[in-house]
Amino acid sequence: MFNCEMVFKDYSEKVYAYLRQHVSNQADIEDLHSHIFCRIVQYAPTYRGNPNAVSSFVYTITRTSTINYYRSKGRLPSSLEELDFDLKEDGGIEEDFINQEELECLASSLEKLSAIERNIIIYCYYNNMTLKEAAFKNGISYGVCKNLHRSALNKLKEFISF
């Protein structure tokens, strides 16, 4: 389970922006916004995903609530994909949710690595260095660097379970 207060703090503005894109009536936007977070609180105990990756959960509830809003007004968009298309065209609120969470998860996972493992990963994947260059920068042999690199990737794979 996750902390609903933190979810509200982290996603309130993003959900509101999504609603502004899809709903024209300000009163309906505010009602939907409240409804969405009530649903999140209601379904939080049933959430079985990664507590560090709730964006899909929030997005699904937001999207479903918006579709239900259209249905209740009797004016469903010509295709449900319109709701997704708008998100992706405008820089992707859903993508922003996911990217931000992935970056936060990656950062916290990198912090769990030893300093030398973290350096190797940063050198190889952020600075585009070869393992040979990363070994030289860390003052270790290529073989040791290769083993540490493999170990770091395995640990990251363990830490990040999407």
Side-chain angles (χ1 to χ4, degrees), residues 50 52 105-106 108-110 112-113 150-162:
N50 183 340
N52 295 323
C105 187
L106 179 60
S108 70
S109 297
L110 282 170
K112 295 176 186 176
L113 298 174
R150 184 178 39 238
S151 170
L153 289 179
N154 287 333
K155 287 178 184 177
L156 287 173
K157 186 176 175 182
E158 230 177 81
F159 298 147
I160 303 172
S161 56
F162 286 112

Side-chain angles (χ1 to χ4, degrees), residues 14-15 17-18 21 87 90-98:
K14 293 173 184 175
V15 168
Y18 177 90
Q21 287 180 326
L87 282 178
D90 293 337
I93 291 172
E94 177 190 22
E95 190 175 302
D96 290 346
F97 281 170
I98 293 170

Side-chain angles (χ1 to χ4, degrees), residues 15-111:
V15 168
Y16 198 81
Y18 177 90
L19 293 172
R20 276 196 320 263
Q21 287 180 326
H22 298 289
V23 180
S24 57
N25 184 316
Q26 184 62 34
D28 288 342
I29 291 171
E30 291 172 11
D31 288 344
L32 269 170
H33 188 263
S34 297
H35 172 75
I36 288 165
F37 282 97
C38 286
R39 301 286 289 194
I40 290 169
V41 169
Q42 177 185 1
Y43 289 107
T46 64
Y47 180 73
R48 298 286 180 248
N50 183 340
N52 295 323
V54 297
S55 63
S56 294
F57 178 72
V58 172
Y59 173 73
T60 301
I61 290 175
T62 301
R63 182 177 182 274
T64 303
S65 296
T66 304
I67 291 169
N68 290 341
Y69 163 79
Y70 280 114
R71 285 185 181 140
S72 73
K73 299 292 182 187
R75 54 186 187 99
L76 197 58
S78 58
S79 102
L80 297 179
E81 285 76 37
E82 282 181 26
L83 295 175
D84 293 331
F85 181 75
D86 289 343
L87 282 178
K88 293 177 179 105
E89 226 176 52
D90 293 337
I93 291 172
E94 177 190 22
E95 190 175 302
D96 290 346
F97 281 170
I98 293 170
N99 287 341
Q100 182 62 32
E101 283 192 351
E102 287 175 350
L103 288 174
E104 289 170 4
C105 187
L106 179 60
S108 70
S109 297
L110 282 170
E111 289 174 10

Side-chain angles (χ1 to χ4, degrees), residues 87-146:
L87 282 178
K88 293 177 179 105
E89 226 176 52
D90 293 337
I93 291 172
E94 177 190 22
E95 190 175 302
D96 290 346
F97 281 170
I98 293 170
N99 287 341
Q100 182 62 32
E101 283 192 351
E102 287 175 350
L103 288 174
E104 289 170 4
C105 187
L106 179 60
S108 70
S109 297
L110 282 170
E111 289 174 10
K112 295 176 186 176
L113 298 174
S114 70
I116 195 163
E117 289 172 326
R118 185 173 42 252
N119 286 342
I120 291 169
I121 295 297
I122 291 170
Y123 288 146
C124 291
Y125 295 98
Y126 294 102
N127 297 337
N128 294 319
M129 292 182 177
T130 65
L131 282 175
K132 194 177 261 187
E133 292 169 325
F136 179 77
K137 280 280 212 182
N138 283 299
I140 57 176
S141 72
Y142 170 75
V144 170
C145 186
K146 186 175 168 183

